[in-house]
């Protein structure tokens, strides 16, 4: 089979190589899956760079989220067992963690449903307790993680402020349904949030960016607001001033979705049932900006790493979607 492999750490476009390799062999409790579509996540770039919290042995195949097919023909969503990631024709995955792919979504959309949307549900509802009528601010609102949070915020009845970088991404955020769109490159983010909220600030801030985005979040979070820390796509991990959180009375909340697989795996299955229902109702639909063949995966991972994409970029292993 063909698989992209990383033999040394570095930028994805430089270190990923498409190779002919043997199919991975399932271990105890695992199954072999044919990959139908693999969604590219920012952690795939971090894996290539050797900067992710998980460091698989070299050589490894990136790709942490797929829509695949079992040997008996079932369409499923899975997180491949590294080092045999999803940017390949076949993967192995834990059988107990397989989830049925929603009928309402095609292969690319199903591949993009799992991590981003589960992170959104757990972050917005379980950790931040987002309430109907509250104001939700989403950083990188036109990206894969951000676009999922925007859709879930609208479903929850929140007023959504989307923060983006550039006019193209601003247009995407408006199409997603953001009530207010702020271009961080052209606008005074803090002033715009204060203006849009009558000086109150945002009740919940969803931050997959870190760095300067977090610093500005702390300046425009509401009384008893919650800043949900999802990731650090900027490459800068902020050091929050806890005295500021104290005097302004807001919460800094961490969200490591992968930890639920260890601590409360049943919650992931319940969340998937909820997401499947929302997809069937048309309330959520992953934003797929590009569908690329397997041969172009390395360039696609690099574009995601560079932050030039909108929505999700999905690799189709056979060049066709369902």
């Amino acid at each position: 089979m063909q698989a992209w492999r990383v033999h040394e750490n570095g930028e994805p476009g430089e270190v990923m190589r498409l190779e002919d390799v043997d199919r991975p062999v399932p271990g105890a409790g695992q199954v072999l899956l044919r990959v139908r579509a693999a969604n590219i996540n920012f952690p795939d770039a971090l894996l290539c760079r050797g900067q992710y919290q998980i460091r698989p042995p070299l050589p490894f195949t990136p790709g942490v989220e797929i829509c695949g097919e079992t040997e008996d023909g079932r369409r499923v969503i899975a997180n491949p067992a590294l080092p045999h990631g999803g940017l390949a024709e076949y993967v192995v995955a834990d059988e107990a963690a397989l989830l049925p792919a929603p009928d309402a979504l095609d292969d690319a959309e199903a591949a993009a449903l799992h991590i981003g949307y589960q992170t959104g549900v757990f972050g917005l509802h379980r950790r931040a307790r987002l309430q109907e009528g509250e104001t939700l601010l989403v950083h990188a609102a036109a990206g894969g993680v951000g676009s999922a949070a925007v859709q879930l915020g609208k479903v929850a009845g929140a007023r959504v402020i989307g923060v983006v970088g550039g006019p193209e991404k601003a247009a995407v955020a408006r199409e997603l349904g953001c009530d207010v769109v702020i271009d961080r490159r052209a606008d005074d983010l803090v002033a715009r949030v204060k203006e849009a909220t009558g000086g109150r600030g945002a009740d919940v801030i969803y931050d997959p960016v870190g760095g300067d985005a977090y610093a500005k979040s702390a300046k425009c979070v509401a009384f008893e607001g919650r800043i949900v820390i999802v990731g650090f796509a900027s490459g800068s991990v902020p050091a929050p001033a806890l005295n500021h959180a104290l005097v302004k009375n807001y919460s800094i909340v961490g969200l490591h979705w992968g930890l639920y697989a260890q601590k409360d795996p049943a919650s992931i299955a319940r969340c998937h049932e909820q997401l499947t229902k929302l997809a069937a109702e048309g309330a959520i639909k992953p934003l797929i900006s590009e569908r690329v063949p397997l041969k172009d995966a390395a360039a696609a991972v690099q574009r995601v790493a560079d932050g030039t994409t909108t929505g999700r970029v999905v690799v189709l292993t056979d060049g066709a979607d369902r």
Side-chain angles (χ1 to χ4, degrees):
M1 70 165 193
Q2 287 194 308
W4 283 95
R5 298 216 293 174
V6 173
H7 292 263
E8 60 183 3
N9 294 126
E11 286 302 300
E14 298 175 0
V15 300
M16 289 177 60
R17 304 177 195 169
L18 187 59
E19 300 176 345
D20 289 316
V21 297
D22 294 332
R23 291 182 185 179
V25 178
Q30 294 181 326
V31 293
L32 180 71
L33 301 174
R34 181 176 72 85
V35 178
R36 297 173 68 112
N39 178 46
I40 297 174
N41 288 269
F42 190 69
D44 293 320
L46 296 179
L47 282 166
C48 291
R49 294 168 175 166
Q51 296 173 348
Y52 198 50
Q53 55 257 41
I54 299 170
R55 299 192 66 172
L58 296 168
F60 68 87
T61 297
V64 297
E65 178 178 38
I66 69 158
C67 173
E69 185 177 325
T70 63
E71 292 184 286
D72 59 5
R74 289 177 292 126
R75 214 169 57 105
V76 297
I77 292 172
N79 300 122
L82 297 176
H84 305 293
L87 297 180
E89 293 181 309
Y90 287 86
V91 299
V92 294
D94 293 336
E95 185 170 19
L98 298 182
L99 297 169
D103 291 335
L105 303 179
D106 64 26
D107 292 340
E109 293 162 345
L113 178 72
H114 192 41
I115 297 175
Y117 281 85
Q118 290 249 348
T119 297
V121 171
F122 279 84
L124 296 178
H125 295 291
R126 184 154 175 165
R127 303 294 285 136
R129 306 294 181 186
L130 178 67
Q131 301 297 310
E132 183 177 0
E134 287 192 314
T135 297
L136 166 67
L137 184 152
V138 179
H139 286 288
V145 172
S147 61
V150 168
Q151 292 182 6
L152 292 168
K154 296 299 292 183
V155 168
R159 182 172 184 242
V160 180
I161 299 174
V163 178
V164 299
E168 179 185 348
K169 293 184 178 182
V172 171
R174 291 188 187 96
E175 291 174 6
L176 284 167
C178 288
D179 299 283
V180 178
V181 177
I182 299 173
D183 183 347
R184 58 180 172 78
R185 297 177 182 172
D187 301 325
D188 184 327
L189 190 156
V190 176
R192 285 290 311 278
V193 173
K194 293 291 183 68
E195 177 187 3
T197 59
R200 171 179 169 78
D203 298 293
V204 175
I205 298 179
Y206 193 79
D207 182 11
V209 178
D212 185 61
Y214 175 84
K216 290 179 177 175
S217 296
K219 295 179 180 179
C220 61
V221 63
F223 169 74
E224 292 195 329
R226 292 83 75 197
I227 302 176
V228 186
I229 307 301
V230 183
F232 311 107
S234 67
S236 175
V237 180
L242 298 185
N243 60 323
H244 190 260
L246 185 151
V247 298
K248 284 198 66 175
N249 225 57
Y250 63 86
S251 302
I252 304 166
V253 183
L255 188 280
H256 177 194
W257 171 76
L259 201 58
Y260 287 95
Q262 301 174 33
K263 303 292 186 181
D264 187 8
S267 65
I268 293 177
R270 291 194 299 270
C271 182
H272 184 67
E273 291 177 4
Q274 177 185 353
L275 292 171
T276 298
K277 182 174 183 293
L278 291 172
E281 295 170 350
I284 61 171
K285 188 180 183 69
L287 174 63
I288 310 299
S289 61
E290 296 182 63
R291 301 166 190 250
V292 302
L294 184 62
K295 67 180 180 64
D296 295 333
V301 176
Q302 187 64 58
R303 290 197 298 278
V304 171
D306 293 340
T308 61
T309 59
T310 58
R312 290 296 192 181
V313 180
V314 179
V315 175
L316 303 176
T317 56
D318 58 3
D321 210 347
R322 186 177 70 90

